[in-house]
Amino acid sequence: NAGVTQTPKFQVLKTGQSMTLQCAQDMNHNSMYWYRQDPGMGLRLIYYSASEGTTDKGEVPNGYNVSRLNKREFSLRLESAAPSQTSVYFCASSERGYEQFFGPGTRLTVL
Amino acid sequence: RKEVEQDPGPFNVPEGATVAFNCTYSNSASQSFFWYRQDCRKEPKLLMSVYSSGNEDGRFTAQLNRASQYISLLIRDSKLSDSATYLCVVTRGGYQKVTFGTGTKLQVIP
């Protein structure tokens, strides 16, 4: 039982490059989330998916797209990376909207 | 005003001390409250939920004051292993709106 897994763990991009962050959970949760965490800003919600087939914008969705591929997987795509997207990205899942279980995070640097 | 506010600290306390953190929230429609713990360069993990009647889990006690719109976390007999950042989380509208505080850093010193 791996919980929530994320790939990659680290990534360095150049401005304008694209990439997809992968997230998978094996807890059969309906809800999944993508957050970014920046110093002094706390965790900010980028997108969430209340259930398979639905996605909604969070607090800071600009510059990102998501895909809820199936119940297990929720990916985050940066189409044209910018230095302002340098951050630590966390995926999380939950059931009933209560306790959220987080993945180990992806540390992204955009040069 | 931020929806959830915490004193960033750091709180530096000796082993065995009692320490308390508060977290204020601005939206009176907030429904559920939690404390998460985040170790350096790790993911957040749920420490405890906060119930209206208050709740205790070993050395940790959480309280909710709806009238003054704050929650608190009390840690008794601090251990070195308690050193971490403590995040306050407030939700409303079910999972529609989840807001994390920026965290309070605790350093327990020998």
Side-chain angles (χ1 to χ4, degrees), chain B residues 14-60:
Chain B
E15 271 187 289
T18 295
V19 62
F21 313 131
N22 280 345
C23 166
T24 59
Y25 61 95
S26 60
N27 195 316
S28 59
S30 298
Q31 295 169 291
S32 302
F33 308 88
F34 308 89
W35 284 103
Y36 278 69
R37 171 194 169 127
Q38 186 173 23
D39 293 306
C40 188
R41 301 180 72 82
K42 297 287 191 181
E43 71 272 23
K45 293 184 179 178
L46 180 69
L47 178 66
M48 57 197 306
S49 302
V50 186
Y51 303 123
S52 297
S53 55
N55 49 302
E56 188 174 306
D57 183 2
R59 298 182 293 108
F60 298 84

Coordinates of all heavy atoms in Angstrom, one line a residue, chain B residues 14-60:
Chain B
P14 N 12.4 24.5 25.4 CA 13.2 23.4 25.9 C 12.4 22.1 26.0 O 11.2 22.2 26.1 CB 13.6 23.9 27.3 CG 12.6 24.9 27.7 CD 12.1 25.5 26.4
E15 N 13.1 21.0 25.9 CA 12.4 19.7 26.1 C 11.7 19.8 27.4 O 12.1 20.3 28.5 CB 13.5 18.6 26.3 CG 13.9 18.0 25.0 CD 14.8 16.8 25.2 OE1 16.0 17.0 25.6 OE2 14.4 15.7 25.0
G16 N 10.5 19.2 27.4 CA 9.6 19.1 28.6 C 8.7 20.3 28.8 O 7.8 20.2 29.6
A17 N 8.9 21.3 28.0 CA 8.0 22.5 28.1 C 6.7 22.3 27.5 O 6.5 21.3 26.7 CB 8.7 23.7 27.5
T18 N 5.8 23.1 27.9 CA 4.4 23.2 27.3 C 4.4 24.4 26.3 O 4.8 25.5 26.7 CB 3.3 23.3 28.4 OG1 3.3 22.1 29.2 CG2 2.0 23.4 27.7
V19 N 3.9 24.2 25.2 CA 3.8 25.2 24.2 C 2.4 25.2 23.5 O 1.8 24.2 23.4 CB 4.9 25.1 23.1 CG1 4.8 23.8 22.3 CG2 5.0 26.3 22.2
A20 N 1.9 26.4 23.2 CA 0.6 26.5 22.6 C 0.7 27.4 21.3 O 1.4 28.4 21.3 CB -0.4 27.1 23.6
F21 N 0.0 27.0 20.3 CA -0.2 27.8 19.1 C -1.6 28.1 18.9 O -2.5 27.3 19.1 CB 0.3 27.0 17.9 CG 1.6 26.3 18.0 CD1 1.7 25.0 17.6 CD2 2.7 26.9 18.5 CE1 2.9 24.3 17.7 CE2 3.9 26.3 18.6 CZ 4.0 24.9 18.2
N22 N -1.9 29.3 18.3 CA -3.2 29.7 17.9 C -3.3 29.8 16.4 O -2.2 30.1 15.8 CB -3.6 31.0 18.6 CG -4.1 30.8 20.0 OD1 -4.4 29.7 20.4 ND2 -4.2 31.9 20.7
C23 N -4.5 29.7 15.9 CA -4.7 30.0 14.5 C -6.1 30.7 14.4 O -7.1 30.2 14.9 CB -4.7 28.6 13.7 SG -5.4 28.7 12.1
T24 N -6.1 31.8 13.7 CA -7.4 32.5 13.6 C -7.9 32.3 12.2 O -7.1 32.2 11.2 CB -7.2 34.0 13.9 OG1 -6.2 34.6 13.0 CG2 -6.7 34.2 15.3
Y25 N -9.2 32.3 12.0 CA -9.8 32.2 10.7 C -10.9 33.3 10.6 O -11.5 33.7 11.6 CB -10.4 30.8 10.5 CG -11.5 30.4 11.5 CD1 -12.9 30.6 11.2 CD2 -11.2 29.8 12.7 CE1 -13.9 30.3 12.1 CE2 -12.2 29.5 13.6 CZ -13.5 29.7 13.3 OH -14.5 29.3 14.2
S26 N -11.1 33.8 9.3 CA -11.9 34.9 9.2 C -13.3 34.6 8.7 O -14.2 35.5 8.9 CB -11.3 35.9 8.1 OG -11.1 35.2 6.9
N27 N -13.6 33.4 8.2 CA -14.9 33.2 7.6 C -15.7 32.4 8.7 O -15.4 31.2 9.0 CB -14.8 32.4 6.3 CG -16.1 32.4 5.6 OD1 -17.2 32.2 6.1 ND2 -16.0 32.6 4.3
S28 N -16.8 33.0 9.1 CA -17.6 32.3 10.2 C -18.3 31.1 9.6 O -18.9 30.3 10.4 CB -18.6 33.3 10.7 OG -19.5 33.8 9.7
A29 N -18.4 30.9 8.3 CA -19.0 29.7 7.7 C -18.1 28.5 7.7 O -18.5 27.4 7.3 CB -19.5 30.0 6.3
S30 N -16.9 28.7 8.2 CA -15.9 27.6 8.3 C -16.5 26.4 9.1 O -17.2 26.6 10.1 CB -14.6 28.0 8.9 OG -14.0 29.0 8.1
Q31 N -16.3 25.2 8.6 CA -17.0 24.0 9.1 C -16.1 23.1 9.9 O -16.4 22.6 10.9 CB -17.7 23.3 8.0 CG -18.8 24.1 7.3 CD -19.3 23.4 6.0 OE1 -18.5 23.4 5.1 NE2 -20.5 22.9 6.1
S32 N -15.0 22.8 9.2 CA -14.1 21.7 9.8 C -12.7 22.3 10.0 O -12.2 23.2 9.2 CB -14.0 20.5 8.9 OG -15.3 20.0 8.6
F33 N -12.0 21.8 11.0 CA -10.7 22.3 11.4 C -9.7 21.2 11.7 O -10.1 20.2 12.3 CB -10.9 23.2 12.7 CG -12.0 24.2 12.5 CD1 -13.3 23.9 12.8 CD2 -11.7 25.5 12.0 CE1 -14.3 24.9 12.6 CE2 -12.7 26.4 11.8 CZ -14.0 26.1 12.1
F34 N -8.5 21.4 11.3 CA -7.5 20.4 11.5 C -6.2 21.0 11.8 O -5.9 22.1 11.5 CB -7.3 19.6 10.2 CG -8.6 19.0 9.7 CD1 -9.4 19.8 8.8 CD2 -9.1 17.8 10.0 CE1 -10.6 19.3 8.2 CE2 -10.3 17.3 9.5 CZ -11.0 18.0 8.6
W35 N -5.3 20.2 12.5 CA -3.9 20.5 12.6 C -3.1 19.5 11.8 O -3.3 18.3 12.0 CB -3.4 20.5 14.0 CG -3.9 21.7 14.8 CD1 -4.9 21.9 15.7 CD2 -3.3 23.1 14.7 NE1 -5.0 23.1 16.2 CE2 -4.0 23.9 15.6 CE3 -2.2 23.6 14.0 CZ2 -3.7 25.2 15.8 CZ3 -1.9 24.9 14.2 CH2 -2.6 25.7 15.1
Y36 N -2.2 19.9 11.0 CA -1.3 19.1 10.3 C 0.1 19.4 10.7 O 0.4 20.5 11.2 CB -1.4 19.3 8.7 CG -2.5 18.6 8.0 CD1 -3.8 19.0 8.2 CD2 -2.2 17.5 7.1 CE1 -4.8 18.3 7.6 CE2 -3.3 16.9 6.5 CZ -4.6 17.3 6.7 OH -5.6 16.7 6.0
R37 N 1.0 18.4 10.6 CA 2.4 18.5 10.9 C 3.2 18.4 9.7 O 2.9 17.4 8.9 CB 2.8 17.5 12.0 CG 4.2 17.4 12.2 CD 4.6 16.2 13.0 NE 6.1 16.0 13.0 CZ 6.8 15.9 14.1 NH1 6.2 15.8 15.3 NH2 8.1 15.8 14.0
Q38 N 4.2 19.2 9.5 CA 5.0 19.1 8.3 C 6.5 19.1 8.8 O 6.9 20.2 9.3 CB 4.8 20.2 7.3 CG 5.6 20.0 6.0 CD 5.2 20.9 4.9 OE1 4.6 22.0 5.1 NE2 5.4 20.5 3.6
D39 N 7.2 18.1 8.6 CA 8.6 18.0 8.8 C 9.4 18.7 7.7 O 8.9 18.7 6.5 CB 9.1 16.6 9.1 CG 8.5 16.0 10.3 OD1 8.7 16.7 11.4 OD2 7.9 15.0 10.3
C40 N 10.6 19.1 7.9 CA 11.4 19.8 6.9 C 11.5 19.0 5.6 O 11.9 17.8 5.7 CB 12.8 20.2 7.5 SG 13.8 21.2 6.5
R41 N 11.1 19.6 4.5 CA 11.3 19.0 3.2 C 10.4 17.7 3.1 O 10.8 16.9 2.3 CB 12.7 18.8 2.9 CG 13.6 20.0 2.9 CD 15.0 19.8 2.5 NE 15.2 19.5 1.1 CZ 15.3 20.3 0.2 NH1 15.2 21.6 0.5 NH2 15.5 20.0 -1.1
K42 N 9.4 17.6 3.9 CA 8.5 16.5 3.8 C 7.1 16.9 3.5 O 6.8 18.1 3.5 CB 8.5 15.7 5.1 CG 9.9 15.1 5.4 CD 10.2 13.9 4.5 CE 11.4 13.2 5.0 NZ 11.7 12.0 4.2
E43 N 6.2 16.0 3.3 CA 4.8 16.3 3.0 C 4.0 16.5 4.3 O 4.4 16.0 5.4 CB 4.1 15.2 2.2 CG 3.8 13.9 2.9 CD 5.0 12.9 2.9 OE1 6.2 13.4 2.6 OE2 4.8 11.7 3.0
P44 N 3.0 17.3 4.3 CA 2.2 17.5 5.5 C 1.4 16.2 5.9 O 1.1 15.4 5.0 CB 1.1 18.6 5.1 CG 1.7 19.2 3.9 CD 2.5 18.2 3.2
K45 N 1.3 16.0 7.2 CA 0.5 14.8 7.6 C -0.5 15.2 8.7 O -0.1 16.1 9.5 CB 1.5 13.7 8.2 CG 2.3 13.1 7.1 CD 3.2 12.0 7.6 CE 4.0 11.4 6.5 NZ 4.9 10.3 7.0
L46 N -1.6 14.6 8.7 CA -2.7 15.0 9.7 C -2.2 14.7 11.1 O -1.8 13.6 11.4 CB -4.0 14.2 9.4 CG -5.1 14.6 10.4 CD1 -5.6 16.0 10.2 CD2 -6.2 13.6 10.2
L47 N -2.2 15.7 12.0 CA -1.9 15.5 13.4 C -3.2 15.2 14.1 O -3.3 14.2 14.8 CB -1.3 16.7 13.9 CG -0.9 16.7 15.4 CD1 0.2 15.7 15.7 CD2 -0.5 18.1 15.9
M48 N -4.2 16.0 14.0 CA -5.5 15.8 14.6 C -6.6 16.7 14.1 O -6.3 17.8 13.6 CB -5.4 15.9 16.2 CG -4.9 17.3 16.7 SD -4.4 17.2 18.4 CE -5.8 16.5 19.2
S49 N -7.8 16.2 14.1 CA -8.9 17.0 13.8 C -9.3 17.8 15.1 O -8.9 17.5 16.2 CB -10.1 16.1 13.5 OG -9.8 15.3 12.4
V50 N -10.0 18.9 14.9 CA -10.4 19.8 16.0 C -11.9 19.8 16.1 O -12.6 20.2 15.2 CB -9.9 21.2 15.8 CG1 -10.2 22.0 17.1 CG2 -8.4 21.2 15.5
Y51 N -12.4 19.3 17.2 CA -13.8 19.2 17.4 C -14.3 20.3 18.3 O -13.6 20.9 19.1 CB -14.2 17.9 18.1 CG -13.7 16.7 17.2 CD1 -12.9 15.7 17.8 CD2 -14.1 16.6 15.9 CE1 -12.5 14.6 17.0 CE2 -13.6 15.5 15.1 CZ -12.8 14.6 15.7 OH -12.4 13.5 15.0
S52 N -15.6 20.6 18.2 CA -16.2 21.8 19.0 C -16.0 21.6 20.5 O -15.8 22.6 21.2 CB -17.7 21.9 18.7 OG -17.9 22.2 17.3
S53 N -16.0 20.4 20.9 CA -15.9 20.1 22.4 C -14.5 20.0 22.8 O -14.2 19.8 24.0 CB -16.6 18.8 22.7 OG -16.1 17.7 21.9
G54 N -13.5 20.2 21.9 CA -12.1 20.0 22.2 C -11.7 18.6 22.2 O -12.6 17.7 22.4
N55 N -10.5 18.2 21.9 CA -10.1 16.9 21.9 C -8.6 16.7 22.2 O -7.9 17.7 22.1 CB -10.4 16.2 20.6 CG -10.0 16.9 19.4 OD1 -10.4 18.1 19.2 ND2 -9.2 16.3 18.5
E56 N -8.3 15.6 22.7 CA -7.0 15.3 23.2 C -6.4 14.0 22.7 O -7.2 13.1 22.5 CB -7.0 15.2 24.8 CG -5.7 15.2 25.5 CD -5.9 15.2 27.0 OE1 -6.5 16.1 27.5 OE2 -5.3 14.3 27.7
D57 N -5.2 14.0 22.3 CA -4.5 12.8 21.8 C -3.1 12.8 22.5 O -2.2 13.4 22.0 CB -4.4 12.8 20.3 CG -3.8 11.6 19.7 OD1 -3.5 10.6 20.5 OD2 -3.7 11.5 18.5
G58 N -3.0 12.0 23.6 CA -1.8 11.9 24.3 C -1.4 13.3 24.8 O -2.1 13.9 25.5
R59 N -0.2 13.8 24.3 CA 0.3 15.1 24.8 C -0.3 16.3 24.1 O 0.1 17.4 24.4 CB 1.8 15.1 24.6 CG 2.6 14.0 25.4 CD 4.1 14.1 25.3 NE 4.5 13.7 23.9 CZ 4.9 14.6 23.0 NH1 5.1 15.9 23.3 NH2 5.3 14.2 21.8
F60 N -1.1 16.0 23.1 CA -1.6 17.1 22.2 C -3.1 17.3 22.6 O -3.9 16.4 22.7 CB -1.5 16.7 20.8 CG -0.1 16.5 20.3 CD1 0.6 15.3 20.5 CD2 0.6 17.5 19.7 CE1 1.9 15.1 20.1 CE2 1.9 17.3 19.3 CZ 2.5 16.1 19.5

